[in-house]
Amino acid sequence: MDVGMTIGGRVTRGAATLPVENPAWAKEFARAPAASAQDVDRAVDAAVAAFPGWSALSFAERAQLLRDCRTLLHRHVDELARLLTLEQGKPLADARGEATLAADWFGHTAALALPSEDLVNEPGALVSMEHVPYGAVAAVAPSNFPLILAVTKVAPALLAGNTVVLKPSEVTPLASLRMTELLGEVLPAGVCNSLCGGPATGAALTEHPEIGLVSFTGSVPAGRAIARSAADNFKRVVLELGGNDACLVLPGADVTAIAPRIFAAAMVNNGQFCAAIKRIYVPAPDADQLTSALADLAAAARLGDGLLTGTEYGPLVSRAQLDRATALVAEARAAGARVFPGSRTPDLPGHFLTPTVVTGLPRGTRLEAEEQFAPVLPVFAYDTVEEAVGRANGTEFGLGGSVWGDEEHAVSVATGLDCGTVWINTHGALRAEAPFGGYRSSGMGTEYGYWGLLEYARIKVRNIARP
């Protein structure tokens, strides 16, 4: 599969390659270029060289080029979607949805504005404020939603006047590299570059002295490492490091009616979604009924190769992810939990784990405290709402949470959840116009909408004295 890195407007295959696996078959199906240290330097140099010309364009001109990116990518949705399914495993319909959303996000971003503002306008002084770009930006994207989580960084960075070096996950690089190749048909050379490689490539990029801002989505340890290295020269960082979102079901809620919606919100992308439901707290009298309903839904799930018609859930993206998830389930079982595995694992050698419901866990197990990032859903019974809120807040994460039940009561309870987004009677509903981010180990900074755009621009004040 002939996909390369884009550096300074040219597509390069690099001197070395990395294997890319189809997780549904647990076997290599393609090779991706592996960036050298020199490739990292060349990509950053290209972004730095392109910055003066790109930032000199008017905001309206950059917005129009982003709309052109949207139009171009829409013509290649099927191509990108197939690559995405092959390397990530998600069903083809979901991959098409992601590729379409990635294209549309350029249009959503182009509709935003960063107006200048007069702060003081009086006979003796005119003080104004404007938003100016950082320069060359490093965008590091994860493996669960490779295209859209790249574009949510690239598009606002470009609109604000920055140039970009994108590094997708080495597990799922192909669709993102191909997308960057395509964007080269619209964007000037060097404005959007791409690299492929593992942690060493990522570190070389994010620590590069010419990178003015790092936008990263990924693991907490990697985010901490980026923050530490950025502190040496006060480099700006935007970090989205995942979550362990709690779902609180209130007394009196119709658990039979809401069970399918909770299950769907937990199993988005086979559980590989930072804002999926990761744990459920339900009143003790309702726990068995909700668990039974969720277990029935898990048993009905259809797993398989994402390219095959009828597949609802594909594999986990890697063997490492599967091993961690199965270890968490094994620990829960050993601790005395009841485990309700879902439908039969398909007769494929890939990294499959059926949706699994776990109940009866003692307090403080890893399946409660850590993010499983897999289709494993623990259900915890509680005696009081105050107890449930305390347990929901009792992890290192603070990305999202949801409360289900009577709206007025749910809104009241939601004020006690210490997280960036609280949903009422839904979960994980993200919108282009609404900011998204978390607290504590879920990261720092904001993505999406006007507030996400602000992350890619600095404030500059002009103070004019008038005689």
Side-chain angles (χ1 to χ4, degrees):
M1 198 158 293
D2 196 18
V3 176
M5 302 179 292
T6 300
I7 299 176
R10 295 186 176 183
V11 178
T12 177
R13 270 54 185 179
T17 60
L18 295 169
V20 182
E21 183 184 71
N22 181 334
W25 293 95
K27 58 189 291 190
E28 178 185 326
F29 78 98
R31 306 287 296 185
S36 65
Q38 292 74 28
D39 290 328
V40 175
D41 287 339
R42 290 196 303 115
V44 175
D45 288 347
V48 170
F51 173 69
W54 179 252
S55 60
L57 295 177
S58 69
F59 195 88
E61 288 172 322
R62 293 196 296 269
Q64 181 55 55
L65 284 167
L66 260 62
R67 285 189 283 270
D68 293 343
C69 290
R70 175 191 180 277
T71 300
L72 173 68
L73 292 183
H74 265 291
R75 296 201 298 267
H76 293 270
V77 161
D78 286 345
E79 175 192 359
L80 294 172
R82 183 174 176 80
L83 278 176
L84 186 53
T85 293
L86 285 169
E87 65 183 349
Q88 205 278 338
K90 65 183 61 182
L92 189 57
D94 294 347
R96 287 195 186 100
E98 181 179 342
T100 300
L101 181 60
D104 286 339
W105 208 273
F106 278 101
H108 295 320
T109 304
L112 302 174
L114 281 178
S116 300
E117 182 179 351
D118 287 343
L119 305 177
V120 177
N121 191 350
E122 58 189 32
L126 174 61
V127 182
S128 60
M129 179 188 73
E130 62 179 335
H131 301 277
V132 299
Y134 284 90
V137 167
V140 184
S143 62
N144 57 334
F145 290 96
L147 289 175
I148 184 56
L149 293 184
V151 173
T152 57
K153 302 174 186 304
V154 170
L158 295 180
L159 184 63
N162 304 281
T163 52
V164 175
V165 181
L166 169 66
K167 194 201 88 67
S169 167
E170 68 276 18
V171 178
T172 56
L174 299 179
S176 300
L177 294 177
R178 176 57 179 151
M179 177 180 70
T180 314
E181 286 183 14
L182 293 168
L183 295 179
E185 299 178 20
V186 171
L187 300 173
V191 167
C192 186
N193 308 274
S194 62
L195 294 169
C196 183
T201 301
L205 174 60
T206 59
E207 295 171 10
H208 198 289
E210 294 297 328
I211 291 294
L213 180 149
V214 177
S215 181
F216 170 81
T217 298
S219 73
V220 174
R224 287 183 176 138
I226 288 170
R228 281 193 294 267
S229 68
D232 287 340
N233 58 0
F234 303 105
K235 185 180 297 184
R236 177 72 178 174
V237 295
V238 180
L239 304 174
E240 201 282 274
L241 307 179
N244 190 4
D245 288 14
C247 160
L248 274 63
V249 179
L250 296 178
D254 186 343
V255 295
T256 300
I258 64 176
R261 292 156 58 199
I262 290 175
F263 184 82
M267 298 300 160
V268 172
N269 202 34
N270 211 15
Q272 301 168 107
F273 177 36
C274 61
I277 291 174
K278 304 291 172 56
R279 51 205 166 109
I280 300 172
Y281 297 95
V282 59
D286 299 321
D288 286 347
Q289 184 179 357
L290 179 60
T291 300
S292 177
L294 295 171
D296 288 345
L297 292 164
R302 299 191 301 274
L303 280 70
D305 188 328
L307 293 177
L308 299 179
T309 302
T311 295
E312 290 181 308
Y313 302 102
L316 292 174
V317 74
S318 68
R319 181 73 199 188
Q321 206 148 299
L322 174 62
D323 288 346
R324 183 175 183 277
T326 53
L328 288 173
V329 174
E331 288 178 21
R333 196 189 302 271
R338 297 175 63 198
V339 176
F340 299 85
S343 57
R344 186 177 64 85
T345 302
D347 188 20
L348 292 172
H351 310 313
F352 288 95
L353 179 63
T354 63
T356 302
V357 180
V358 180
T359 190
L361 269 169
R363 190 167 187 152
T365 59
R366 282 210 302 158
L367 196 50
E368 181 177 17
E370 300 181 10
E371 179 183 29
Q372 65 273 53
F373 219 64
V376 179
L377 186 57
V379 180
F380 301 94
Y382 69 81
D383 294 319
T384 68
V385 173
E386 291 74 21
E387 173 199 348
V389 171
R391 293 181 71 172
N393 291 337
T395 76
E396 65 176 313
F397 298 96
L399 188 61
S402 59
V403 186
W404 299 70
D406 171 75
E407 182 176 320
E408 183 177 355
H409 188 192
V411 169
S412 175
V413 171
T415 61
L417 291 182
D418 188 20
C419 53
T421 300
V422 181
W423 291 277
I424 306 297
N425 293 319
T426 187
H427 195 109
L430 304 179
R431 301 180 65 96
E433 62 270 45
F436 180 66
Y439 310 145
R440 303 187 301 280
S441 291
S442 286
M444 58 191 300
T446 301
E447 297 186 297
Y448 310 165
Y450 170 73
W451 298 270
L453 178 60
L454 286 177
E455 297 284 2
Y456 295 92
R458 297 178 287 193
I459 290 175
K460 186 174 184 179
V461 174
R462 181 181 293 111
N463 190 321
I464 302 174
R466 289 174 168 171

